[in-house]
Amino acid sequence: MIALWPTAIVFVVFIFMFCHETRLDFKRCLEMDRQADEHVLRVIDRFLKEKATA
């Protein structure tokens, strides 16, 4: 029974690490999506400015 404790602790640590990395990956994905939206909005803004001056 004592021999199971280290295995259980390692299992819990790996579960925690997996959840933590999943959370970080989700934040990275949201940041990439935000940057892509920013890029598209800059291109649209540039197009509208060119259209207004022409």
Side-chain angles (χ1 to χ4, degrees):
M1 186 68 180
I2 294 285
L4 291 178
W5 281 108
T7 306
I9 291 171
V10 169
F11 180 72
V12 169
V13 168
F14 281 137
I15 294 295
F16 171 76
M17 288 171 52
F18 175 77
C19 293
H20 181 69
E21 284 297 319
T22 304
R23 221 175 302 128
L24 289 178
D25 192 44
F26 181 70
K27 287 180 183 178
R28 276 187 229 112
C29 183
L30 287 179
E31 180 64 21
M32 287 173 41
D33 189 43
R34 184 191 63 80
Q35 288 177 351
D37 290 346
E38 249 180 48
H39 174 72
V40 169
L41 290 175
R42 269 191 255 119
V43 170
I44 291 172
D45 191 40
R46 191 177 325 133
F47 173 77
L48 292 175
K49 284 181 182 176
E50 289 175 3
K51 189 84 166 172
T53 58

